[in-house]
Amino acid sequence: MTAVPQATARPRTAAGPPGPAPRRRRWHRLAIPLGLVAALIATTLVTHALDRPDPDDRGYLSPVETGEHGGSRLADSLRQRGLTVRRETDARAALSTARTGPPATLFVPAADLLRSETLARLTRLPVGTRLVLVDPSVRVLLATGVPVDLTDRRWATKVVGPQTDGAPCPLDELGPVRQAAAQRQRYEPDAEVDADLCFSAGLARLPGAVETVLVGADDPFRNDRFGEQDNQAFATALLGVHARIVWLDLAGPEPPLPARSSPPPVADSPTTPEAGAETMPPDGNGQGGRPGTPPDGSADGPPRGSAGGPPPNPLWGAFPLWFWAILVQLALALLLAALWRARRLGPPAPEPLPVAVRSAETALGRARLYQRAGARGPAGRTLRSAALARLLPWLNLPADAPQDRVATAVAARTGGEPEQIEELLYGDDPATDEDLVTLARSLDTVTRAVVASPPERSQPVPSPRTDPTEGGPR
Amino acid sequence: MTWRAALLLAAGALTLPLWPSPFAGVLVMTGGVLLLVLVDRMRAVPPTALSVEREGDRTVRLGGTATVALRLGNGSGRTLRAQVRDAWVPSAGARPDVPPERIVTVPPGDTLVLPTRLTPTRRGDRPAVSLTIRSYGPMRLAFRQRSGRPATPPWTLRVLPRFDSRRHLPEKLARLRIIDGTQVTRGRGQGTEFDTLREYVVGDDIRSIDWRASARQADVLVRTWRPERDRRLVCVLDTGRTSAVRVGDEPRLDTSIDAALLLTALAARAGDRVDLLAADTAIRATVTGSGRPALLPRLVHALAPLQPALVETDFELIAGEILRRQRQRSLVVLFTALEAGALGEGLLPVLPRLAARHRVVIAAIHDPVLTTMTSTTPARAADAYAAAAGWRALAERDRVRAALTRHGVTVVDAPAGALATRLADTYLRLKARAQL
């Protein structure tokens, strides 16, 4: 904003004789550092956004995807433990697989791709089933009816220990895990619900008929971070409570409910295992191709097309078009106002200023130096010699008068003990600041007393230098 | 463009809900406003068609108010609507009668007078810095403004020193007349130069009766005396670094100038010839007292633009200049500071040469802060240290003073307010004792 008026002002004044070089530099002075900072921030944000996988990316946490964001290493690891991993690419098929047979673990890495009706059915699985959701959104939580709130969310995942607020993790299978990258989204259960929190509230388990486990970070499951810290132990332990794992690997958003013409679910269920699911061979030698090769192209076509471009921002539709036009025009008006304010009515008038140093600056500075150095001895000696220089002419004594004579003469004027006066005028250097203040005050009092008392014999000679010198008393 | 253009665009934004296509409306209205701005700018009077000149006061005494007017002529065929900012340096205290925010109107071929009142806050030359004219179009949607068009007419207001010690002048002149013996009949005029013979009146000093002349006349005659006339006085102002420090509210140099002016006024009345020299590392100002009647105004004008320079004063140069100009014995009054470093290394080596031919007086301003530091009863440790530092500074001054005195130099050391009158007293006494 500031650079714009400068840039427009320059051509107008460039014709003037004063050199345009400082003007250009002034513009640079503002633009370069601000531009650098803006570029840094923009680069960081863009890189972070590109680097972070999204649940609707191709192959995101898929057991057959060997890329960075896939889950092939996790699937292999589970299989090595002798567990069965069943990959399902259709939600209905996954649900029916989980219902049949002994209790299973249903692993849903991208629950946001499911429709709300499907989500509601997730919690109506047989008793003993474990449901593992990775970083579910608020919509997922509401649809599944999990009584948990999302609290603060970190910008990047943090490696933490299993404790939450000092309390140990109540999940027994996670016992050997010491450190895992599990804290990104934190959870807070509703007040009346008895939920278990682990990993600084980055993991929440809700007991019930279906045991639901929410994990706030996808990092422990991803191929690229699977080997770090105890991520492997964390992920395999979490999913390995039952011998059978149903892995719901969705290629894109779940298609909407089929029209009335489509076959009912009962009729569909026997065909789905053959068409939509495949039992992974134990060596994990999956075809590695896209899991989303449409089993029935008619249902998969439209959603794939809509997912190709980003969905339009709902904010655009929230206001009428003229509202945005007004905003644009007001911004333009603001730009005009900025251009108007940017042109000043002549440059500021410079002027050399007079010196502002006080005449006693050196004396004051020396006083501060004395104080900082704690120079009580020199200060005391200066004060004493100055007091003597004032007293001696007033007492009609020569400059080299003996100490006791001076002390006696001063004591006679002020009425004190001569020993005390001698100690005051010729004594030791003051040891502390308090002594120095006392000394200065006593010298001041004595000098004033002597000067105030009437002269004894003759008019004192105030100073030997009076003769050729004019000037005021000090 | 002006705020009117921005307001027009903002007001137009409110009609956007009525447009069939709002974004097209934005384009149309923005384009329209920009077109209006362009047309308005074309119709504004170009700054090159204007003529400006100044008239008014050239000098003002510090504390007074001067008026400098700007004549703005519109040489184009269109009516000029313009904001005019006539910028002076801040210490000139410029207050334009027409504030720069107001838009003035000048019909074609006409001239407008814009007076500015200046109340300067400092002595010296106060220049006008820049003139800026912003010429608006008839709709005031846009303006033309170019730096340096029209060119700023140069003008410098010379601010003369205030000469506060003027008020001491009548008293000093009265004392001068007593010394002269022109006013008081009783008592002989002090001095060594024979003036006239006149008749004795009761009350005259009988020692001044000229018996030889009385014998030749029927009356008793007394001799009258008068001080020497046509003596020479040289005021030397040190404008080096020691004159820059502040004593009270103004630089030490200003106090020196004030005292020098009183001394010059007094000496000019006493019939002496006054020269002036101001120097630091170079000669800054010289005035020779040949044209006696206009001496004081000339002196004031020479002193007004003097500014302290932050350099060490070259006393070698000053002494050489004095010795070159003044062949006869003169009274040299040197306005400087009693500072051991500046005087001990600069002045003392050249002082014997100077004092051998001239009578030297050093006028120094002493410092009220030092007096306060040494005369207050200390209450805290900082006060005691300050008192010690103050006494030490005074002892240094005393050493410089003693060294100067050894060369037969008179030192006048007075607080800032009293320097002028003390110096005048010294001058009168020297004159009365015929020591000039």
Side-chain angles (χ1 to χ4, degrees):
Chain A
M1 189 58 118
T2 39
V4 171
Q6 292 283 354
T8 53
R10 184 147 47 87
R12 281 192 217 163
T13 52
R23 233 167 253 275
R24 212 169 289 146
R25 270 205 303 279
R26 197 186 305 157
W27 178 80
H28 282 170
R29 205 164 50 196
L30 206 62
I32 287 176
L34 285 182
L36 270 179
V37 170
L40 262 178
I41 292 175
T43 314
T44 313
L45 288 178
V46 168
T47 314
H48 182 260
L50 288 179
D51 195 39
R52 180 146 284 279
D54 286 327
D56 51 358
D57 281 350
R58 299 165 82 85
Y60 172 74
L61 285 190
S62 163
V64 293
E65 172 65 45
T66 52
E68 283 190 341
H69 302 153
S72 63
R73 293 178 67 185
L74 171 61
D76 292 348
S77 174
L78 289 170
R79 262 179 240 113
Q80 275 164 18
R81 288 183 57 181
L83 308 172
T84 315
V85 178
R86 268 187 73 88
R87 169 174 179 254
E88 296 285 350
T89 55
D90 183 71
R92 264 182 295 167
L95 284 173
S96 59
T97 311
R99 277 200 201 95
T100 53
T105 304
L106 179 56
F107 180 44
V108 187
D112 284 327
L113 302 178
L114 294 173
R115 285 199 316 269
S116 301
E117 306 88 76
T118 319
L119 288 171
R121 286 162 63 192
L122 286 180
T123 51
R124 294 200 289 273
L125 287 169
V127 175
T129 307
R130 168 174 279 201
L131 175 64
V132 179
L133 299 176
V134 176
D135 194 13
S137 64
V138 181
R139 182 184 75 88
V140 174
L141 293 180
L142 286 177
T144 49
V146 178
V148 164
D149 287 335
L150 304 181
T151 58
D152 49 335
R153 186 180 181 87
R154 289 177 56 85
W155 196 56
T157 310
K158 186 184 180 186
V159 176
V160 288
Q163 313 86 4
T164 301
D165 300 331
C169 184
L171 272 70
D172 298 333
E173 66 271 20
L174 293 180
V177 180
R178 292 187 312 278
Q179 294 260 302
Q183 190 201 345
R184 181 150 184 257
Q185 174 68 56
R186 294 174 56 130
Y187 300 101
E188 188 182 58
D190 289 350
E192 65 274 14
V193 180
D194 179 29
D196 302 323
L197 292 177
C198 288
F199 293 94
S200 300
L203 181 147
R205 182 185 67 165
L206 293 115
V210 176
E211 182 190 31
T212 311
V213 177
L214 310 175
V215 183
D218 56 3
D219 300 59
F221 308 104
R222 267 171 22 212
N223 278 348
D224 54 344
R225 299 200 66 184
F226 187 66
E228 297 176 14
Q229 278 93 26
D230 295 335
N231 285 353
Q232 179 175 7
F234 173 84
T236 48
L238 203 62
L239 299 179
V241 286
H242 300 301
R244 207 159 54 96
I245 296 149
V246 182
W247 190 313
L248 181 54
D249 180 18
L250 292 165
E254 190 187 13
L257 271 177
R260 285 184 300 274
S261 59
S262 71
V266 189
D268 196 28
S269 52
T271 61
T272 335
E274 296 126 25
E278 45 184 323
T279 308
M280 305 293 294
D283 59 359
N285 192 8
Q287 61 190 28
R290 297 294 355 106
T293 30
D296 39 2
S298 62
D300 211 25
R304 179 62 64 90
S306 71
N313 192 339
L315 200 64
W316 285 108
F319 295 99
L321 200 58
W322 55 261
F323 175 80
W324 301 108
I326 283 182
L327 278 193
V328 169
Q329 187 149 344
L330 285 182
L332 286 172
L334 209 63
L335 183 68
L336 279 192
L339 288 176
W340 158 59
R341 293 302 292 173
R343 187 84 166 110
R344 64 188 178 186
L345 193 57
E351 183 183 24
L353 289 175
V355 172
V357 175
R358 283 185 298 168
S359 52
E361 200 63 39
T362 47
L364 290 170
R366 185 177 284 141
R368 285 194 291 271
L369 273 182
Y370 277 165
Q371 186 165 17
R372 190 176 297 175
R376 300 173 200 97
R381 286 197 289 278
T382 309
L383 287 174
R384 278 181 170 136
S385 59
L388 279 176
R390 273 176 297 165
L391 287 174
L392 291 178
W394 206 261
L395 297 168
N396 259 337
L397 290 171
D400 53 352
Q403 299 187 2
D404 51 346
R405 223 182 117 198
V406 175
T408 317
V410 172
R413 294 289 191 92
T414 58
E417 291 293 320
E419 291 78 22
Q420 270 185 330
I421 300 288
E422 191 172 348
E423 171 64 25
L424 176 65
L425 288 177
Y426 300 99
D428 296 331
D429 288 342
T432 62
D433 276 1
E434 287 75 38
D435 290 352
L436 181 67
V437 175
T438 318
L439 173 74
R441 300 184 77 137
S442 312
L443 286 174
D444 190 61
T445 316
V446 166
T447 317
R448 282 174 200 273
V450 169
V451 171
S453 67
E456 272 176 1
R457 293 183 294 272
S458 59
Q459 190 63 30
V461 187
S463 164
R465 58 179 179 256
T466 350
D467 189 22
T469 304
E470 320 275 325
R474 314 200 209 92
Chain B
M1 57 238 22
T2 65
W3 61 269
R4 289 184 184 219
L7 191 68
L8 194 63
L9 203 56
L14 299 181
T15 66
L16 277 174
L18 308 176
W19 287 68
S21 167
F23 278 101
V26 171
L27 279 182
V28 167
M29 276 192 277
T30 310
V33 168
L34 286 182
L35 193 69
L36 278 178
V37 163
L38 261 181
V39 167
D40 205 38
R41 184 178 155 80
M42 297 293 287
R43 295 191 57 198
V45 175
T48 44
L50 303 175
S51 64
V52 281
E53 53 195 50
R54 284 186 207 273
E55 58 189 13
D57 298 336
R58 288 278 184 185
T59 58
V60 66
R61 201 171 280 285
L62 182 60
T65 298
T67 308
V68 176
L70 189 76
R71 296 177 67 86
L72 179 63
N74 180 6
S76 72
R78 286 171 268 178
T79 305
L80 169 71
R81 299 166 194 82
Q83 282 179 303
V84 181
R85 174 172 174 250
D86 188 14
W88 293 70
V89 289
S91 65
R95 272 180 293 105
D97 280 6
V98 178
E101 300 82 40
R102 195 184 300 167
I103 295 181
V104 295
T105 309
V106 187
D110 209 348
T111 303
L112 181 72
V113 179
L114 296 163
T116 301
R117 287 173 209 290
L118 300 131
T119 313
T121 54
R122 287 212 311 271
R123 179 185 55 81
D125 283 345
R126 300 282 150 242
V129 178
S130 67
L131 175 72
T132 313
I133 295 179
R134 179 176 282 192
S135 168
Y136 286 92
M139 289 177 284
R140 294 191 196 167
L141 286 175
F143 58 81
R144 292 191 188 192
Q145 175 186 341
R146 285 179 71 178
S147 60
R149 299 290 171 84
T152 308
W155 195 268
T156 303
L157 184 71
R158 176 155 290 181
V159 185
L160 307 178
R162 199 186 278 125
F163 197 9
D164 277 337
S165 55
R166 237 176 342 184
R167 61 178 190 276
H168 299 299
L169 196 56
E171 180 236 329
K172 304 295 177 199
L173 286 176
R175 285 180 52 196
L176 182 70
R177 280 194 288 274
I178 296 173
I179 296 170
D180 254 346
T182 52
Q183 195 173 45
V184 179
T185 49
R186 306 163 188 206
R188 63 182 209 180
Q190 296 158 6
T192 53
E193 212 173 82
F194 174 71
D195 188 11
T196 50
L197 286 171
R198 59 169 172 80
E199 289 178 9
Y200 174 82
V201 292
V202 180
D204 276 345
D205 188 353
I206 54 168
R207 283 177 298 179
S208 60
I209 295 175
D210 186 345
W211 297 108
R212 192 184 298 266
S214 303
R216 284 200 288 270
Q217 299 275 333
D219 280 329
V220 179
L221 295 182
V222 291
R223 285 185 200 185
T224 57
W225 308 82
R226 66 168 194 190
E228 308 90 331
R229 288 181 169 264
D230 288 320
R231 298 286 123 178
R232 284 167 181 273
L233 171 67
V234 186
C235 292
V236 181
L237 286 158
D238 169 9
T239 57
R241 64 173 178 89
T242 54
S243 69
V245 295
R246 301 217 140 201
V247 177
D249 200 22
E250 54 185 10
R252 189 178 264 153
L253 182 62
D254 285 25
T255 316
S256 302
I257 287 176
D258 192 53
L261 285 178
L262 181 69
L263 190 63
T264 308
L266 195 60
R269 292 291 181 88
D272 288 340
R273 181 195 153 112
V274 184
D275 291 353
L276 181 124
L277 187 69
D280 37 75
T281 52
I283 306 293
R284 301 289 174 194
T286 49
V287 179
T288 47
S290 50
R292 200 167 281 169
L295 174 64
L296 201 59
R298 276 201 296 135
L299 205 65
V300 167
H301 272 276
L303 289 178
L306 280 185
Q307 295 299 338
L310 295 181
V311 291
E312 193 72 66
T313 307
D314 184 2
F315 283 102
E316 186 84 31
L317 172 80
I318 292 177
E321 192 69 18
I322 295 171
L323 291 175
R324 193 175 62 76
R325 286 165 182 257
Q326 309 292 334
R327 302 277 174 204
Q328 304 174 19
R329 183 173 172 80
S330 329
L331 174 67
V332 175
V333 183
L334 179 57
F335 294 87
T336 182
L338 276 184
E339 195 177 310
L343 292 194
E345 288 166 23
L347 181 61
L348 284 180
V350 298
L351 196 57
R353 277 198 288 149
L354 206 57
R357 196 191 288 175
H358 301 296
R359 174 141 189 94
V360 181
V361 173
I362 288 186
I365 300 149
H366 85 93
D367 196 348
V369 183
L370 276 187
T371 315
T372 319
M373 278 163 74
T374 50
S375 63
T376 48
T377 310
R380 292 170 299 132
D383 295 345
Y385 286 116
W391 281 117
R392 188 173 155 174
L394 288 181
E396 271 174 13
R397 288 169 71 103
D398 284 346
R399 272 207 303 284
V400 176
R401 197 205 282 253
L404 293 171
T405 310
R406 272 201 296 282
H407 292 285
V409 172
T410 308
V411 177
V412 180
D413 188 11
L419 178 72
T421 169
R422 293 261 173 81
L423 194 62
D425 289 347
T426 309
Y427 167 76
L428 288 174
R429 202 179 57 250
L430 289 175
K431 192 152 184 78
R433 292 187 191 165
Q435 287 178 343
L436 288 186

